[in-house]
Amino acid sequence: MKRIDRNILAIDLKSFYASVECLDRDLDPFTTPLVVADESRGNGTIVLAASPYIKAKYGVKSRCRLYEVPKDIPGLIIAQPKMKRYLEKSAEINDIYREYVSEEDMFIYSIDESFLDVTNYLKIHNDTPKSYARKIIDEIRDKTGLTVTAGIGLNLFMAKAAMDIEAKHRPDFLAEWNYESIPTHLWPISPLSKMWGIGSRLEKRLNALGFYTIGDIACSDPNYLKEKFGSIGEEIYYHTLGYDDALLQDVYVSDNHSLSVGQVLLRDFTLEEIPTLIRDMAIELSDRMYEENVLANTFFLYVGYKDGSGGVSKRIQFYTPTDAATKIGKEAVRLFLEERIPEDTLFRQIFLVAGEVRSKEMYQPSLFEDYESDCKLRTLEKTLVSIRRKYGARLAMPCSALSLSSTFLQRSQQIGGHHA
């Protein structure tokens, strides 16, 4: 792996959703017992975020279930998620980043986490990586009241590891690593899934081979790991040494990516109700594809069983790329109904994915398609999408949206599956 040293900041907004809710109430996230969860979904709903105070004092974790939060905590606040508000706050933070780096030196990893390449700005401002990071952290705190956790490293992986493993546990929430830091700070880490890039499944496979700490992997043979796990094994080996040849500017633009929509259902859905949900998801996915100006040939449908034992998976293939909800929904329903599923089967999850989407500008019409018919369909769907975007979903909804099986209207009022 080629060594390319840069000065990278990995920045995380600490307990972001919970901190925003506290600050909007003029409360201190470090002294307020608050969790962000939608109580209307029942006691089993997921806690999206927990304030630093309730995490430290009561051991409440983000992503736990609401019933796991002790209800006798004095002054406990259960805040309903407001995704629109969080997106607005995230955009405000991104604007601050742009004061310190140009667009190509910034990568938005998630709503509350970003990477900045500050290499080209240090000499200009007579700064070190740490002093430059401190300026950014202080401005975020002064302008928004939010606390930032930041890791500094010589590449993307090192910065992320410094943030996750050390900075989040320091009183100043800032840590800087170099290659000499790796044996001390990274190698003792266990379980393996604490390291970025190792999930729970990969961790089990590594454990089965005798790897229990990051140092165990670092002392292994990269050829052996590549033989066992393919290219990911080799990549993990070099990460344990602190090496990463990915440039932030390379991940800034992705040539091929997918779009997905999905939901964990709030009740058990029967077999006969699922087609309505599939059509709902097709409209939601189509709207997203229209907004991003992309098409896809291949789609994937997954409908998960109630008991979590698996589900129905279908690949949906079109000869010509499309973003038409009618076509996507019709074909997905047909393939789903072809499956021999017992009538008493109950479902709790549904996901629809557009694979390897491409820009509409790259699309070339085919001699084998019914151009006139497709043109009419595109015009109709474009009109429906425009109406929904401008006037709301109610004015351009399918008749099935009024049925008890549909979640169309409910989700149209949400962002990311939560209240706006």
Side-chain angles (χ1 to χ4, degrees), residues 15-22 25 34-39 45-51 63-64 66 77-83 86:
S15 303
F16 180 49
Y17 296 172
S19 294
V20 171
E21 292 294 341
C22 287
R25 293 168 169 78
L34 180 145
V35 295
V36 178
D38 189 351
E39 285 188 282
T45 190
I46 292 175
V47 172
L48 297 178
S51 67
R63 314 309 295 177
C64 70
L66 187 56
I77 299 172
I78 302 175
Q80 180 171 288
K82 303 184 189 71
M83 298 307 296
Y86 308 147

Side-chain angles (χ1 to χ4, degrees), residues 335-402:
L335 292 172
F336 175 78
L337 294 178
E338 279 185 354
E339 192 80 7
R340 294 182 179 178
I341 307 169
E343 291 186 3
D344 60 350
T345 303
L346 297 176
F347 301 88
R348 268 300 180 95
Q349 293 179 320
I350 181 169
F351 296 92
L352 187 61
V353 180
E356 294 191 358
V357 298
R358 69 190 75 170
S359 171
K360 287 182 181 177
E361 295 174 1
M362 299 171 59
Y363 170 63
Q364 294 292 329
S366 167
L367 295 175
F368 298 98
E369 61 185 293
D370 185 344
Y371 181 78
E372 184 176 351
S373 177
D374 280 0
C375 188
K376 290 180 179 178
L377 180 59
R378 289 193 192 100
T379 301
L380 172 61
E381 298 234 350
K382 182 178 179 180
T383 302
L384 293 173
V385 172
S386 299
I387 292 172
R388 284 193 288 267
R389 292 176 67 185
K390 188 172 183 178
Y391 300 106
R394 287 181 177 274
L395 294 184
M397 65 182 184
C399 294
S400 60
L402 299 176

Side-chain angles (χ1 to χ4, degrees), residues 12 25 30 54 86 126 133 168 171 240 242 277 307 318 408 418:
D12 176 74
R25 293 168 169 78
F30 291 90
I54 202 171
Y86 308 147
N126 195 28
K168 289 183 177 181
T240 65
L277 282 178
D307 59 7
F318 295 102
F408 179 84
H418 300 281

